Structure formats: structure tokens, C-alpha cells
Amino acid sequence: MPESLRVLIVEDSEDDAELLLLELRRGGYDPAFVRVDTAEGMRNALEKYSWDVIVSDYSMPRFDTIAALELVKERELDLPFIIVSGRIGEDVAVQSMKAGAHDYIMKDNLVRLVPAIQRELREAEQRRERRRAEKALERYHKRLEILREIDKAILAIKSPREIAEATLGRLCELLPCERGCVVMIDTRTEEATVLAVFSCDESRIHQGMRLPVQSWASIDMLSRGDVHIIEDLRESPQAASVIQVLRAEGYRSYLSAPLVSHGHLIGSLNLWATREHAFGNEQLEVAREVATLQAIAIQQARMYEQIQEHTHQLEQNVAERTIELQQMNADLESFSASISHDLRAPLRAVQGFAEVLGEEYADALDENGKEYIERIVASTSYMDTLIQDLLEYSRLNSPDIECRS
């Protein structure tokens, strides 16, 4: 069965074009073609159709190969371009190859045409495959860079909002989307809060916005841990308020990945694009991986904030308790002064008068009286010692106490 081939023929001679087509059919192709011989004709053909190969005469009355190659370059097309000419010198051939032609064939040697086309088709496919691999590698490097940024955020213990903002900006560079946001979900209150937004223009969805959980179309799927993709919002039957806002603002594709921590849904990573079918399997896996790391980072940042809050509360409690202790110490010092003055003063009076009785009126006292006087003096002396010890003990809490060896 003949192989289809879309060939753009740049040739002013209808007979020469027919000979080219006959050679292609003999070579096993079923060519679909358009013949042009002017710049305008070629420009229209390149805009309207996709081509596998371009076969061009070198010189024509109103057009030539160099001008045709310029049109191909303008559109950044990587198509096999083969010159088929009746007269071409070596210097002209070299100039044409430098301008972007892949091969040249003499019209009297068309037997080379099919093998040349087959070779150039293979090489063009190899170039396309190489570019795809390079783009995939570039996307992979960007993916790793985003993951490193998230890791840095985790290690730096930034706030949840800072983590979300840093991740969204890099993710929108990597994936085909123009806007994204991170939403935190409180399952107890069934309320969703927009933590951070990345966008190039104004939107009704903004940071700090609070909505019922049901406003987000993907909540049921997110609760199961699934990534939710709407390929075309215009055809989606969902009537959630967020979906209606996105439709009105011109967005067509929607992706939402769950933020799950310890088996519990804590939020979602949401991305929107202005074209349909913007998110495929590769974008889904990238979003899932980033959402997993983002959930870990945000949860750790939350825990850090809670620890900071508890630490602050503890410091407040310690400060309040310190003030209470200082007041207690002040009261104790006041009590000590009261003991020193109010108790020791009458005690000294008792002791002093007892000693006077023992000394001045000893002759008037019998033995029992003298013994009583001695007991009074001994008891007051012992009481004074107890009061002195109590004062020394109270001074142990005084900041002015000096330690001696």
C-alpha cells in the first residue's frame, strides 16, 4: 500500500512537477501536493497546510530557492528541503546548502529523489526526536530545580504562605499555565482559604479569600487523594462557583492536586490555563510530586509556627510568674523587716528587764525567783536566735547575697 506523503512543490513548470510526482509514485508514495511558484503562493501554502517535505526548483521567473528557504526559516520549520534543478553549479549548490537546503538533485537524475527524501525524512524525525528529548531534559531540570526550592523552603522553615508563593511561581514557569493558587482546607468548618496566588493579571480569586469547600469543583476527588483535571471548562457540567469564575475570566483548563499530610487532606494545589487540554500525564505527575512536597513543607511550617506560638506563650507565662515571684520576694522581705522590728523589739525589752531584775534585785529574790529570771533570759536568748535564723533563711532569695568559701 502506498505511503502518504505531503509534498510542497516549488516549481514553475507543470510538466516538471508531474515528472516529480511520477517518480514519487514509482518510489511507493501517494503524494498529496500543492505546486507554487511565487512567494505569496508558498506563504499561503505554509500557513494553511502541514508538509512532510519541500521540493524546489532553484530558479524561476518570479521566485527562487533562496527566497523559499527564507520563508521556511521565518516560520522556524524543520522540513526536508530538496533542490531539483536542471542547471546548478557547485558554488550555487554550496550557497543553497548553507542557506538551509538538505540536498540537491539534477532533473535528469530523478532516480535519486526518493532515496534522498527517505533519508531526509529519517534525519528530520531524528532531529525532532532530539529536540523533544532536549525539551524533556530541560523540563526535568526545571522540575528538579523546583523540588530543590521546596526542599530549601522546608529546611529554612519559612511560613506556609512563602512556601506556596515560591513554589507557584516556579511551577507556572515549568507547566503550561498562566495562573495558580494554593488553598488550605479546614475540614472542621468546611471552609477553604486561598493561601497564595500566582497570576499575571487581576482575578476575583485572591489571597485570603474564604469560600465554602463546595465552591471548589475538585473537593470530592481531592478527598480520595486523586488529581482532578478538567480539559475544557466550557464543556464541564460542574457549576461550582470557582469554575464559573474561571470560565468568565477566559480560562479553559483546570488542574487540582491534593495536599495530603499524614493521610489527611489539608489543601490543594490549583493550576489554570487559557487553552484547552493543557495538562497531560506529564503535567499531572509533576503537579502530584510538587503537591506532595508542598504539603510536607507547609505542614512543617505550620508546626514551626505553632512551636513559636507556644514558645512565646511559655515566655509570657514565665515572665508573669517571675513578676509574681518578685512580688512574693518583696512581701517576704517586708515580712522579714516586720519580724526584725516588731518581734525583736519587745523581746529585747523582756530580756533587758529580766537581766535588770537579776542584777539589781538579786538580794530581794529567793532561789526560785533567781531561777525564774535565768529561765526568762535563756528563753528570750533562744527566741532571738530563732528569729535571727529565720531572717538569714529569708535572705537566701535576695539577689544581693554573696557566696563565700
Side-chain angles (χ1 to χ4, degrees), residues 308-342:
Q308 291 291 92
E309 184 178 346
H310 292 162
T311 301
H312 177 70
Q313 185 62 46
L314 181 60
E315 289 175 349
Q316 252 189 336
N317 293 341
V318 169
E320 292 172 359
R321 184 58 178 163
T322 300
I323 293 174
E324 291 177 2
L325 290 174
Q326 289 174 344
Q327 183 60 46
M328 291 174 63
N329 285 336
D331 294 342
L332 182 59
E333 290 178 1
S334 176
F335 177 69
S336 299
S338 175
I339 290 177
S340 177
H341 180 270
D342 296 339

Side-chain angles (χ1 to χ4, degrees), residues 204 215 233 238-249:
R204 289 168 56 190
S215 300
L233 291 171
Q238 299 192 32
S241 59
V242 170
I243 296 301
Q244 294 179 13
V245 170
L246 295 179
R247 285 197 197 104
E249 293 182 349

Side-chain angles (χ1 to χ4, degrees), residues 101-119:
H102 296 95
D103 203 349
Y104 65 92
I105 296 171
M106 306 303 292
K107 288 186 176 180
D108 58 1
N109 191 22
L110 290 181
V111 68
R112 289 189 56 236
L113 179 61
V114 171
I117 288 176
Q118 292 173 339
R119 182 191 68 244

Side-chain angles (χ1 to χ4, degrees), residues 274-292:
T274 53
R275 67 181 180 87
E276 306 88 349
H277 307 279
F279 305 113
N281 290 332
E282 180 181 351
Q283 288 76 29
L284 184 148
E285 290 304 320
V286 171
R288 187 194 302 274
E289 188 172 2
V290 170
T292 299

Side-chain angles (χ1 to χ4, degrees), residues 11 37-38 49 75 79 130 151 156 161-162 169 171 188 193 200 207 213-214 223 249 268 275 279 286 306 314 361 395:
E11 174 64 71
D37 61 358
T38 64
Y49 307 105
R75 286 159 179 76
L79 294 174
R130 185 164 54 250
D151 288 339
R161 182 178 60 81
E162 290 175 316
L171 194 57
R188 295 173 301 175
T193 304
C200 300
Q207 181 181 319
V213 170
Q214 292 78 10
S223 299
E249 293 182 349
S268 64
R275 67 181 180 87
F279 305 113
V286 171
Q306 290 175 359
L314 181 60
Y361 299 96
R395 293 193 186 100

